[in-house]
Amino acid sequence: EVQLVESGGGLVQPGGSLRLSCAASGFTFRSYWMSWVRQAPGKGLEWVATIKGDETDNYYVDSVRGRFTISRDNAKNSLYLQMNSLRAVDTAVYYCARDRVPESYGDMDVWGKGTTVMVSS
Amino acid sequence: DIVMTQSPLSLPVTPGEPASISCRSSQSLLHSNGYNFLDWYLQKPGQSPQLLIFLGSHRASGVPDRFSGSGSGTDFTLKISRVEAEDVGVYYCMNSLRAPLSFGGGTKVEIK
């Protein structure tokens, strides 16, 4: 069964750091682009970052560039999001998602259940 | 950056009746390969989003054929031929042409 399981969320103070993880199973992880998408409380979906299967390419939304880093460990079938200098506006449920085809990003066809990040003093 | 705009914001529907959601992009999503890079997602209450339609009109695996996507360039439509109770939730369109990927604001579909 294809599955994504996020972890690492929690309560952090403004300016703090957090590292999210996503454990993948049931597919050839290293072949696929992977993404993080977030959803603030009561709000819509916002794409955060995307990384290529071989880690040679990645993209970020402007609001997190320079503060967040997407990475992966293909040997461990894991995706990560290192979040630094956190702000209250980063409070959200963070979803890990697989991009549908190995050759390109977009079309996210497998999603995890999400992990909640709350930034508050 | 590509901005996605959906309408309506809310859509009350009657089971068995058709429903339609519009999505407009600020730039063309038509790639030189002839495909429109536009996705539709559904987020049911309390659940993660799920992919319904990719490349403008292609149903994702397991999606019932009552869902269809159409349009090209900057104007797109998601249609449900006969709404069922399980179709309630928030529908999002998304630019999948190039980063930054961007979602529309969402359309909440609820049963009348």
Side-chain angles (χ1 to χ4, degrees):
Chain A
E1 179 192 5
V2 176
Q3 194 173 10
L4 299 172
V5 179
E6 304 93 336
S7 61
L11 174 63
V12 60
Q13 292 187 340
S17 297
L18 213 53
R19 188 197 197 203
L20 305 184
S21 299
C22 171
S25 59
F27 63 100
T28 307
F29 180 72
R30 64 179 180 274
S31 297
Y32 289 83
W33 290 76
M34 296 293 296
S35 297
W36 288 99
V37 175
R38 67 184 178 182
Q39 187 169 35
K43 302 297 184 182
L45 301 173
E46 180 182 36
W47 170 81
V48 175
T50 289
I51 187 168
K52 194 174 180 180
D54 62 6
E55 300 183 80
T56 57
D57 206 359
N58 58 62
Y59 301 94
Y60 297 89
V61 68
D62 282 350
S63 61
V64 308
R65 187 177 294 111
R67 299 189 299 125
F68 290 10
T69 301
I70 189 171
S71 64
R72 61 195 297 161
D73 185 335
N74 289 337
K76 296 182 178 179
N77 289 341
S78 293
L79 176 72
Y80 305 103
L81 186 67
Q82 177 67 42
M83 304 186 296
N84 298 331
S85 303
L86 281 161
R87 307 165 180 167
V89 294
D90 296 318
T91 294
V93 174
Y94 284 74
Y95 296 101
C96 164
R98 185 189 80 170
D99 295 339
R100 186 180 60 87
V101 293
E103 300 81 24
S104 66
Y105 59 84
D107 308 344
M108 292 167 277
D109 68 338
V110 180
W111 295 67
K113 294 188 183 304
T115 187
T116 300
V117 172
M118 180 175 291
V119 184
S120 175
S121 54
Chain B
D1 295 357
I2 298 174
V3 177
M4 307 298 292
T5 304
Q6 287 181 235
S7 62
L9 205 59
S10 176
L11 183 60
V13 297
T14 300
E17 293 297 307
S20 179
I21 299 170
S22 294
C23 175
R24 178 166 290 178
S25 58
S26 62
Q27 301 174 35
S28 177
L29 300 183
L30 180 61
H31 193 276
S32 56
N33 63 11
Y35 289 103
N36 286 280
F37 280 66
L38 185 282
D39 298 339
W40 289 98
Y41 296 86
L42 165 60
Q43 187 173 31
K44 296 182 179 181
Q47 296 187 18
S48 303
Q50 60 184 93
L51 179 65
L52 291 178
I53 302 287
F54 62 91
L55 296 178
S57 62
H58 298 259
R59 275 189 302 277
S61 177
V63 174
D65 61 7
R66 64 179 180 274
F67 291 93
S68 64
S70 63
S72 183
T74 62
D75 289 285
F76 300 89
T77 302
L78 176 71
K79 293 182 179 177
I80 311 173
S81 59
R82 293 174 305 279
V83 173
E84 296 189 4
E86 65 181 26
D87 300 336
V88 298
V90 182
Y91 290 77
Y92 297 92
C93 61
M94 191 195 83
N95 142 49
S96 59
L97 179 64
R98 58 175 171 268
L101 306 182
S102 46
F103 290 91
T107 295
K108 186 173 184 178
V109 171
E110 51 195 4
I111 300 296
K112 283 182 182 177

